[in-house]
């Protein structure tokens, strides 16, 4: 077991059309035994970051530590890690048993020990019945298990997984999420897991590191990331449906006020702005579940007209036109029924709003004030 | 129904077109001189003509062939056997070398970033654009000065260098198809790159190597011009020998056919030995894209 640390890690690829900065000054510590997910859209540098830990890419600058060892100059095989690839990379000419035993054979371990460990892993992953088969004929769920087995069998310091569930169908993916989380908990091995799927990230990880364009945006527990996004990117990337985002102007009376189209909202006194400058153009965000829809005759922050109603069973999502640049998405309980075209009132929980500097995308609200 | 009949008819025509020459050579090799030169060709053994092993025994054992028109001089004893062995040695070694070296080069082209890769690949291919006959005289002089005429080494060098470009191009295509993740997985699992190539990539590439080897072997096996020019006295191969049977005056069709049959057998056997790999073809791996 070991922790993984990144110190100012930079990766630059040189291509014919010039240099591409894939990973920009990443500083990150993954605790021993932690399940950390690197989350971001494709091309954000998350896989490159993972591959640098494995030694499949070399960092342009900066240091990577596994435990107390600086691993930048070690060959992949010397880093005591296991890597699960998106496409599994099971060796087609070897049986499942030999695939799993393959990493052990590199270590000159006795035949009995190899057999025993392969057997243990197979038992744990419930793949004993396919040990003699070739991997390419197996269904993808079983291929996935074989790939996991090959990673587990050498009892590495760190698991590195690159979108391992992408190729499974939806129901199997949900099962494997639970199983992987359980497995990691049982083994207690440090896990670095790359995905673009926020459900995977939210449901499995201890902490999430969100990346965009090679830059680490925010690191935190799933709920921290969800409730207190520190950048505009994180706010928009996490959550389904995506956060409502509009431009607003801030004005100061007795309390700070945000003006968004027809909506004038007095900010809660607990909100303190990070920046002293009063910006005219600020991104105002609120999640659909923090906007409440009600009939037009009740006191509301803003009036609007229902455009679309999407009943999802456990909840209903309304698109409400409030005369602003875009319609607001509102999550409501299924028993609250409003028809398209109907005038409705909306109230917004002022504790739950988000303000971002339009130019930098950074949160304007002090993190300390919003803890919890 | 009609479609089925037409299909089988077309198939039969195609098979006849390709197989009949072979059949003709084979039956001719079992004919006596009288039968092989008959104006109305004899088609069916046991029915149209009495088959004989005289042609084969003449070629392999050096016996004379007697007929109504007189005695045909025997081939010099053992010459065919010796040349067949030479052909096997020269084609075998040059094929192994070409496939070995070409595979390694192709791996490098496929996996590493090589400055001027496109130009280099084109350069390698361009060596095949010149017909060998054009450089016949330079090669002759060159080999004479280096003492490479009448040697195994000379033809092995020539056939190897003729086949390497083909192998590089074929194998590069195959390696490009083998996902990089295989080697990466093996390297993470504690193996060096060389070990990863040896344990994972080469086993995956064997069908491709077999297919490439068949084509290379056929080229070396059938080569006539260079062999005829360079190796007249020592380490001579079979193709010029076939030409020599044609001889002066009367063509000895029976013996020519027998020699031709014996000459194609090894390459057919080789192709059959690797046929499973050939059929396994280019469908690689459990890695899904």
């Amino acid at each position: 077991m070991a922790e993984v640390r990144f110190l100012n890690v930079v990766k630059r690829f040189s291509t014919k059309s010039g240099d591409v900065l894939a990973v920009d000054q990443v500083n990150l510590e993954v605790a021993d035994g932690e399940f950390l997910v690197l989350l971001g859209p494709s091309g954000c540098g998350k896989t490159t970051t993972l591959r640098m830990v494995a030694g499949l890419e070399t960092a342009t600058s900066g240091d990577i530590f596994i435990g107390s060892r600086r691993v930048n100059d070690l060959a992949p095989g010397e880093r005591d890690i296991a890597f699960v690839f998106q496409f599994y990379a099971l060796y087609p000419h070897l049986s499942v048993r030999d695939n799993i035993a393959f990493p052990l054979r590199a270590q000159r371990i006795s035949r009995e020990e190899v057999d025993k460990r392969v057997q243990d892993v197979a038992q744990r992953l419930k793949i004993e019945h396919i040990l003699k088969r070739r991997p390419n004929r197996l269904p993808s769920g079983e291929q996935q298990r074989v790939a996991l087995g090959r990673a587990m069998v050498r009892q590495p310091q760190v698991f590195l997984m690159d979108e391992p569930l992408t190729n499974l169908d939806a129901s199997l993916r949900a099962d494997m999420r639970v199983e992987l989380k359980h497995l990691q908990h049982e083994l207690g091995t440090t896990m670095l897991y790359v995905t673009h799927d926020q459900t995977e990230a939210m449901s499995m990880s201890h902490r999430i590191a969100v990346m965009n364009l090679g830059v680490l945006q925010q690191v935190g527990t799933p709920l921290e990331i969800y409730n207190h996004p520190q950048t505009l990117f994180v706010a928009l990337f996490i959550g389904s449906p995506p956060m409502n985002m509009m431009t607003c102007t801030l004005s100061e009376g007795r309390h700070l006020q945000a003006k968004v189209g027809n909506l004038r909202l007095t900010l809660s006194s607990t909100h303190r702005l990070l920046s002293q400058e009063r910006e005219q153009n600020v991104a105002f965000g609120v999640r659909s579940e923090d906007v409440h829809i009600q009939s037009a005759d009740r006191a509301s922050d803003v009036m609007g007209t229902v455009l679309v109603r999407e009943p999802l069973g456990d909840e209903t999502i309304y698109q409400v036109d409030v005369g602003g640049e875009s319609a607001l998405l509102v999550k409501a309980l299924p028993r609250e029924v409003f028809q398209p075209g109907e005038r409705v009132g909306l109230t917004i929980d002022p504790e739950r709003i988000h303000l971002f500097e339009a130019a930098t995308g950074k949160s304007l609200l002090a993190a300390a004030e919003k803890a919890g | 129904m009609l479609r089925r009949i037409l299909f089988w008819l077309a198939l039969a025509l195609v098979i006849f077109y390709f197989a009949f020459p072979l059949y003709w050579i084979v039956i001719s090799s079992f004919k006596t001189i009288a039968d092989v030169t008959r104006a109305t060709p004899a088609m069916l053994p046991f029915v149209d003509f009495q088959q004989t092993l005289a042609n084969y025994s003449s070629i392999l054992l050096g016996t004379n062939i007697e007929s109504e028109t007189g005695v045909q001089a025997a081939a010099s004893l053992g010459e065919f056997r010796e040349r067949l062995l030479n052909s096997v040695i020269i084609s075998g070694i040059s094929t192994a070398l070409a496939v070995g070296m070409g595979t390694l080069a192709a791996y490098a082209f496929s996996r590493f970033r090589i400055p001027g890769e496109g130009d280099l690949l084109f350069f390698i291919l361009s060596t095949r654009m010149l017909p060998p006959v054009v450089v016949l005289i330079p090669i002759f002089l060159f080999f004479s000065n280096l003492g490479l005429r009448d040697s195994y080494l000379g033809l092995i060098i020539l056939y190897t260098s003729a086949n390497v470009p083909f192998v590089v191009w074929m194998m590069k295509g195959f390696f490009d198809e083998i996902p990089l993740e295989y080697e990466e997985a093996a390297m993470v699992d504690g193996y060096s790159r060389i070990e990863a190539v040896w344990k994972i990539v080469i086993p995956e590439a064997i069908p491709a190597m077999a297919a490439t080897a068949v084509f290379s072997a056929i080229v070396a096996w059938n080569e006539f011009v260079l062999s005829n020019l360079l190796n007249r006295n020592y380490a001579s191969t079979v193709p010029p020998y076939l030409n020599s049977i044609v001889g002066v005056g009367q063509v000895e069709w029976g013996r020519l056919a027998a020699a031709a049959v014996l000459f194609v057998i090894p390459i057919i056997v080789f192709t059959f030995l690797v046929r499973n790999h050939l059929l396994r073809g280019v469908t690689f791996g459990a890695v899904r894209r």
Side-chain angles (χ1 to χ4, degrees):
Chain A
M1 314 300 133
E3 73 269 12
V4 179
R5 280 184 298 145
F6 299 82
L7 278 179
N8 296 320
V9 173
V10 174
K11 176 67 189 181
R12 220 182 285 274
F13 288 108
S14 48
T15 63
K16 274 178 188 161
S17 50
D19 278 12
V20 176
L21 189 59
V23 174
D24 188 5
Q25 295 282 341
V26 165
N27 285 289
L28 178 65
E29 288 196 22
V30 188
D32 186 8
E34 184 175 1
F35 193 137
L36 184 126
V37 169
L38 283 167
L39 177 67
S42 58
C44 74
K46 56 190 193 299
T47 296
T48 307
T49 306
L50 192 75
R51 288 169 59 86
M52 283 193 286
V53 180
L56 298 173
E57 305 285 354
T58 41
T60 309
S61 66
D63 302 304
I64 299 172
F65 291 89
I66 297 177
S68 53
R69 285 195 305 167
R70 182 178 178 276
V71 295
N72 287 46
D73 304 320
L74 294 182
E78 298 167 340
R79 299 188 180 200
D80 202 6
I81 43 142
F83 200 110
V84 176
F85 292 85
Q86 184 175 358
F87 299 99
Y88 315 139
L90 299 173
Y91 314 124
H93 65 288
L94 298 179
S95 67
V96 167
R97 181 189 300 280
D98 289 333
N99 262 281
I100 296 176
F102 194 73
L104 298 179
R105 302 244 158 89
Q107 299 177 15
R108 317 260 176 277
I109 292 175
S110 76
R111 193 174 287 272
E112 295 78 43
E113 175 70 10
V114 169
D115 285 348
K116 192 179 150 295
R117 276 164 73 171
V118 171
Q119 202 60 41
D120 284 352
V121 164
Q123 209 165 10
R124 177 167 229 152
L125 292 168
K126 304 183 203 82
I127 48 173
E128 289 160 290
H129 59 292
I130 53 168
L131 281 178
K132 286 185 184 146
R133 299 190 39 199
R134 293 288 176 94
N136 45 355
R137 297 276 166 78
L138 297 172
S140 56
E142 286 182 340
Q143 291 191 16
Q144 168 70 67
R145 283 166 187 279
V146 177
L148 283 178
R150 194 172 66 188
M152 281 163 57
V153 76
R154 61 185 298 197
Q155 298 160 2
Q157 303 249 10
V158 183
F159 284 132
L160 305 173
M161 302 204 178
D162 185 9
E163 311 229 10
L165 304 186
T166 311
N167 288 336
L168 304 182
D169 54 49
S171 68
L172 203 54
R173 204 180 310 156
D175 291 347
M176 279 308 286
R177 278 208 302 263
V178 177
E179 205 170 321
L180 255 182
K181 188 176 182 175
H182 178 66
L183 212 59
Q184 194 271 340
H185 179 72
E186 260 191 358
L187 298 170
T189 310
T190 312
M191 166 95 87
L192 249 163
Y193 184 106
V194 161
T195 184
H196 65 269
D197 180 341
Q198 50 170 309
T199 317
E200 276 178 30
M202 300 288 283
S203 62
M204 291 198 290
S205 68
H206 296 137
R207 285 194 303 157
I208 297 174
V210 184
M211 286 187 81
N212 186 38
L213 302 172
V215 179
L216 199 56
Q217 303 279 319
Q218 185 175 358
V219 186
T221 65
L223 289 182
E224 274 169 24
I225 299 267
Y226 186 81
N227 290 324
H228 307 299
Q230 277 162 23
T231 68
L232 194 56
F233 173 80
V234 176
L236 288 170
F237 189 70
I238 304 279
S240 171
M243 186 186 279
N244 292 301
M245 195 65 70
M246 288 152 289
T247 50
C248 82
T249 49
L250 295 176
S251 61
E252 218 165 355
R254 256 182 58 206
H255 291 291
L256 205 55
Q257 288 203 322
K259 186 170 175 296
V260 188
N262 299 332
L263 168 70
R264 197 176 292 274
L265 199 65
T266 305
L267 270 63
S268 145
S269 53
T270 55
H271 279 136
R272 203 163 48 78
L273 288 189
L274 279 176
S275 163
Q276 291 307 312
E277 300 160 40
R278 294 289 170 263
E279 298 211 27
Q280 290 303 295
N281 279 314
V282 168
F284 170 92
V286 62
R287 294 207 184 274
S288 57
E289 66 264 31
D290 297 325
V291 185
H292 306 291
I293 188 168
Q294 54 193 4
S295 54
D297 52 350
R298 297 174 63 180
S300 304
D301 291 329
V302 68
M303 303 299 287
T305 310
V306 173
L307 294 176
V308 178
R309 183 168 75 100
E310 296 177 68
L312 299 178
D314 56 338
E315 61 192 19
T316 304
I317 293 172
Y318 291 97
Q319 266 189 40
V320 182
D321 177 20
V322 291
E325 61 213 286
S326 58
L328 271 179
L329 292 173
V330 182
K331 239 182 224 178
L333 292 172
R335 60 184 154 81
E336 302 169 328
V337 177
F338 302 93
Q339 298 304 330
E342 194 175 336
R343 289 291 285 173
V344 290
L346 300 177
T347 59
I348 291 172
D349 184 350
E351 298 283 341
R352 306 279 300 168
I353 64 157
H354 307 271
L355 295 174
F356 301 95
E357 216 172 17
T360 61
K362 290 206 172 108
S363 175
L364 280 169
L365 300 175
E369 300 288 328
K370 305 178 297 172
Chain B
M1 189 62 196
L2 185 69
R3 281 187 59 171
R4 281 182 69 86
I5 291 172
L6 283 174
F7 171 76
W8 287 108
L9 205 68
L11 197 67
L13 264 170
V14 171
I15 289 174
F16 177 79
Y17 180 80
F18 286 105
F20 183 74
L22 266 177
Y23 174 75
W24 184 249
I25 290 280
V26 172
I27 58 168
S28 298
S29 72
F30 290 105
K31 286 178 182 173
T32 59
I33 293 172
D35 282 329
V36 84
T37 50
R38 220 154 71 185
T40 43
M43 289 297 194
L44 297 168
F46 300 102
V47 181
D48 283 349
F49 66 93
Q50 192 56 49
Q51 64 280 1
T52 168
L53 287 173
N55 296 316
Y56 287 97
S57 89
S58 161
I59 281 169
L60 293 173
L61 307 171
T63 53
N64 290 337
I65 299 175
E66 295 178 34
S67 68
E68 304 92 63
T69 55
V71 177
Q72 270 187 337
S76 65
L77 178 62
E79 191 185 349
F80 180 81
R81 280 181 296 174
E82 193 188 307
R83 280 174 174 258
L84 195 64
L85 185 67
N86 292 341
S87 271
V88 169
I89 291 170
I90 290 170
S91 320
I93 293 178
S94 70
T95 300
L97 283 175
V99 172
M101 299 197 301
T103 300
L104 293 179
Y107 178 80
F109 275 119
S110 172
R111 290 300 197 250
F112 300 115
R113 297 182 68 188
I114 295 168
E117 179 180 325
D119 296 336
L120 279 173
L121 278 170
F122 180 78
F123 167 71
I124 290 172
L125 186 67
S126 70
T127 60
R128 288 293 296 263
M129 294 177 184
L130 202 65
V133 185
V134 178
V135 286
L136 214 53
I137 293 166
I139 284 180
F140 183 82
L141 296 173
F142 196 33
F143 272 44
S144 299
N145 285 327
L146 290 174
L148 286 172
R149 278 173 55 207
D150 293 318
S151 73
Y152 288 105
L153 185 63
L155 282 188
I156 288 173
I157 289 174
L158 281 177
Y159 295 166
T160 303
S161 48
N163 276 325
V164 159
F166 170 71
V167 178
V168 171
W169 275 76
M170 286 282 286
M171 290 308 295
K172 181 181 180 303
F174 284 111
F175 282 134
D176 288 346
E177 293 286 312
I178 297 180
L180 194 59
E181 280 97 332
Y182 285 149
E183 288 131 275
E184 291 184 337
M187 278 152 66
V188 169
D189 284 346
Y191 295 89
S192 66
R193 181 179 280 274
I194 302 276
E195 285 174 316
V197 169
W198 185 247
K199 284 177 192 287
I200 302 298
V201 181
I202 296 294
E204 283 305 302
I206 277 181
M209 290 170 74
T212 314
V214 167
F215 290 119
S216 300
I218 288 172
V219 168
W221 189 253
N222 289 344
E223 201 283 326
F224 172 80
V225 175
L226 292 165
S227 172
N228 190 41
L229 179 77
L230 297 172
N231 286 18
R232 286 191 161 275
N233 308 311
Y234 182 72
S236 314
T237 60
V238 177
Y241 175 77
L242 296 181
N243 188 44
S244 75
I245 295 179
V246 173
V248 205
Q250 191 187 20
V251 179
E252 299 174 41
W253 290 116
R255 229 161 46 177
L256 183 59
V261 168
L262 290 172
F263 178 63
V264 298
I265 282 175
I267 211 81
I268 290 175
V269 168
F270 180 55
T271 310
F272 259 76
L273 287 178
V274 300
R275 75 189 185 284
N276 287 332
H277 292 307
L278 289 178
L279 291 176
R280 227 190 94 195
V282 290
T283 49
F284 289 109
V287 171
R288 298 179 178 199
R289 291 288 176 189

